[in-house]
Amino acid sequence: MTSHRKHLVRDFNHFITCYICKGYLIKPTTVTECLHTFCKSCIVQHFEDSNDCPKCGIQVHETNPLEMLRLDNTLEEVIFKLVPGLREKEQQQEVEFWKRNKLKEIPDENGPKCKKARVDEEDDVKGDGDYHRSDPQIAICLDCLRNNGQIGESIVKGLMKKFIRCSTRVTVGTIKKFLSLKLKLPSSYELDVLCNGEIMGKDHTMEFIYMTRWRLRGENAHPMVLEYRPRIDFG
């Protein structure tokens, strides 16, 4: 009769720990150029000072290595199954972090409060039924970026209600879908979404942008401002 050897969690540590912090991978994020994986916060912080992979030294991108990062949700689920209590611990720490930063509060804009639209409650923007309603929320202002004479500018207008509140896990791709539906854009039109003048990747989450791009963080900060502009797809 064949006996099956029981494996301990430490047997897999080489595959599920971060090269930078030496802890378990939290929000595993892979560098697409070399396929090395790190905690998201660790690799983002590393790329503030370097464009090279911290493990193999390859140059990830000449100017913006953050564009070459991809979250590995499958690996995250594997790690949570292997390490008891890790998911609950990280969720609690995340909730406490966003509470400290008061992202659930939307300050008055020198006027009466108005009801904010929610990306995750729009009937037209549906995913798989998981609307992340229990996630930490973030306030966002969606401004139309206008450049005189830009192609498509006559079609892309400003929103009547430009303030929204959504999950910190909402991606730029979802924001683009939300804008396209609200603005009733033709299928030939795509949008660029920018923060502080830099185009954001479609897989960037609102949390990622807030932590790495938004400059006005703090207790009395206004909603994070994202700008959008037309981009025509000639393909």
Side-chain angles (χ1 to χ4, degrees):
M1 182 175 180
T2 304
S3 60
H4 296 281
R5 175 173 175 253
K6 292 184 178 180
H7 292 277
L8 301 176
V9 173
R10 64 170 175 262
D11 295 335
F12 302 96
N13 279 351
H14 176 72
F15 305 101
I16 62 175
T17 54
C18 175
Y19 178 82
I20 299 174
C21 71
K22 311 303 181 185
Y24 290 120
L25 288 164
I26 302 302
K27 296 185 179 177
T29 301
T30 299
V31 180
T32 58
E33 285 295 294
C34 59
L35 301 182
H36 288 133
T37 303
F38 311 90
C39 298
K40 185 173 79 169
S41 60
C42 290
I43 191 62
V44 167
Q45 186 174 1
H46 171 81
F47 281 156
E48 290 181 357
D49 302 314
S50 173
N51 292 340
D52 301 336
C53 171
K55 189 170 185 177
C56 67
I58 187 176
Q59 185 182 63
V60 176
H61 195 278
E62 291 184 358
T63 58
N64 189 13
L66 294 175
E67 289 290 334
M68 312 305 292
L69 298 179
R70 294 294 181 271
L71 286 171
D72 191 335
N73 295 320
T74 301
L75 179 57
E76 181 180 45
E77 287 301 315
V78 170
I79 294 172
F80 283 151
K81 291 182 184 299
L82 284 174
V83 185
L86 183 62
R87 184 196 301 269
E88 292 75 15
K89 178 182 176 182
E90 289 305 315
Q91 288 177 341
Q92 182 61 35
Q93 290 181 347
E94 183 177 358
V95 169
E96 292 175 356
F97 171 83
W98 290 112
K99 281 183 178 179
R100 288 196 302 270
N101 284 271
K102 296 184 178 180
L103 284 184
K104 289 188 176 182
E105 298 298 327
I106 299 182
D108 293 339
E109 293 291 328
N110 298 322
K113 292 183 179 179
C114 59
K115 184 177 180 181
K116 307 297 190 298
R118 294 174 62 98
V119 170
D120 50 7
E121 289 185 358
E122 288 296 321
D123 292 336
D124 293 327
V125 184
K126 293 185 178 180
D128 57 2
D130 180 8
Y131 295 102
H132 303 295
R133 290 193 177 100
S134 62
D135 289 350
Q137 305 290 297
I138 183 170
I140 300 173
C141 175
L142 297 171
D143 268 344
C144 182
L145 183 63
R146 298 190 178 280
N147 295 320
N148 292 334
Q150 185 176 0
I151 298 175
E153 193 166 87
S154 60
I155 294 180
V156 177
K157 306 291 186 181
L159 294 171
M160 292 186 63
K161 296 180 179 179
K162 62 181 182 179
F163 293 99
I164 66 171
R165 182 184 293 179
C166 64
S167 165
T168 56
R169 298 186 184 185
V170 164
T171 65
V172 170
T174 301
I175 294 293
K176 288 183 178 182
K177 292 179 183 178
F178 173 77
L179 288 168
S180 295
L181 288 166
K182 284 295 183 182
L183 299 172
K184 299 180 180 179
L185 297 180
S187 58
S188 59
Y189 281 82
E190 290 190 3
L191 296 171
D192 285 327
V193 173
L194 303 87
C195 183
N196 293 326
E198 180 181 348
I199 296 177
M200 298 291 99
K202 65 181 179 64
D203 295 322
H204 288 359
T205 64
M206 297 301 101
E207 174 189 12
F208 179 85
I209 296 173
Y210 178 82
M211 296 302 300
T212 64
R213 294 297 188 273
W214 183 234
R215 299 169 183 167
L216 302 179
R217 299 198 298 270
E219 292 188 0
N220 298 318
H222 291 285
M224 182 170 71
V225 177
L226 297 180
E227 297 175 313
Y228 59 92
R229 67 186 183 191
R231 182 182 61 189
I232 298 180
D233 181 7
F234 292 100

